[in-house]
Amino acid sequence: DTNVFQPLLHREESSMPIVLLVGSPHLRFKGFSDALKALKVVWDSGVRFKVHWICQQKSDLKMDFPITYFVQPKQDELVSIYQRADLLLCASWYEGFGMPPLEAMACGTPVVATDSGGVQEYALAGYNCLLSEPGDTGDLAKSVITLLQDSTLKARLRVNGRATAQKFSYEHVMQQLERYMVNMVERN
């Protein structure tokens, strides 16, 4: 819902960039082990950040970088978390139509993701996100560093990501569904 998931009008940069993770730390196919390995590479390179993690239950992971867990946040808090993040890191090994990257795009949050199936419906490398192959932690780390350091790229991904999300808004998708159903009825 692009009326709910939308960018802040006046976004202030945080003193320490926020990398957002979304999903259960206990689901292996979500690639969180890869995301954390990539973030360790970023941290070890001297780039500083903090992680905000939206999840169903808190994990007891110990990392070099700070992690704040948001366990089952309410809708308005969820949107606020997306809006404040400097980037979403999505490292899934495979995915259906992945909603977190699209929700981040709707909020104007740049996305670093893996080319993991369902995101291919909307993710265009270099246009609205940065894409890596699933499991390629080195490339994920490189993309995170690039995005945290390149404000021009970050701004372009914010604008193009928002435009992409609007193409998948409820209003737009419902019109397509309605046309499809009318065509099906007319054929019979």
Side-chain angles (χ1 to χ4, degrees):
D1 185 348
T2 55
N3 293 319
V4 174
F5 288 87
Q6 55 184 311
L8 292 171
L9 292 177
H10 302 287
R11 187 180 190 288
E12 294 182 26
E13 294 297 319
S14 55
S15 58
M16 186 180 291
I18 297 169
V19 175
L20 179 61
L21 301 175
V22 177
S24 173
H26 307 292
L27 295 176
R28 285 186 41 129
F29 76 92
K30 291 292 189 178
F32 290 115
S33 60
D34 293 339
L36 294 172
K37 285 177 191 171
L39 290 175
K40 179 166 178 18
V41 170
V42 173
W43 188 266
D44 290 347
S45 77
V47 176
R48 295 296 177 249
F49 57 88
K50 55 188 170 184
V51 171
H52 285 181
W53 197 331
I54 299 169
C55 53
Q56 294 79 6
Q57 61 188 77
K58 186 177 176 182
S59 176
D60 58 356
L61 292 168
K62 302 290 185 234
M63 301 300 297
D64 294 336
F65 43 84
I67 300 176
T68 302
Y69 294 94
F70 296 88
V71 178
Q72 300 182 13
K74 294 182 174 151
Q75 182 81 7
D76 58 340
E77 185 183 10
L78 178 70
V79 171
S80 177
I81 297 165
Y82 272 110
Q83 291 170 329
R84 291 188 320 251
D86 290 277
L87 69 90
L88 169 77
L89 176 57
C90 183
S92 289
W93 300 339
Y94 56 89
E95 196 69 61
F97 187 87
M99 289 300 290
L102 199 57
E103 290 169 341
M105 289 179 185
C107 290
T109 300
V111 172
V112 172
T114 50
D115 192 2
S116 58
V119 297
Q120 293 170 351
E121 291 292 321
Y122 57 83
L124 299 169
Y127 174 74
N128 59 15
C129 66
L130 298 180
L131 286 177
S132 298
E133 287 301 313
D136 190 341
T137 58
D139 198 50
L140 285 169
K142 179 181 165 199
S143 292
V144 169
I145 292 169
T146 298
L147 202 48
L148 290 177
Q149 295 178 341
D150 187 338
S151 59
T152 303
L153 175 61
K154 190 187 294 187
R156 185 174 76 235
L157 295 183
R158 285 182 196 276
V159 170
N160 294 340
R162 175 70 181 165
T164 298
Q166 288 174 320
K167 291 178 185 175
F168 290 90
S169 69
Y170 287 145
E171 295 83 13
H172 185 74
V173 171
M174 286 302 139
Q175 288 173 1
Q176 289 177 325
L177 179 60
E178 182 179 358
R179 283 194 300 271
Y180 174 79
M181 294 177 84
V182 167
N183 286 339
M184 292 301 291
V185 169
E186 288 175 353
R187 287 184 191 165
N188 293 328

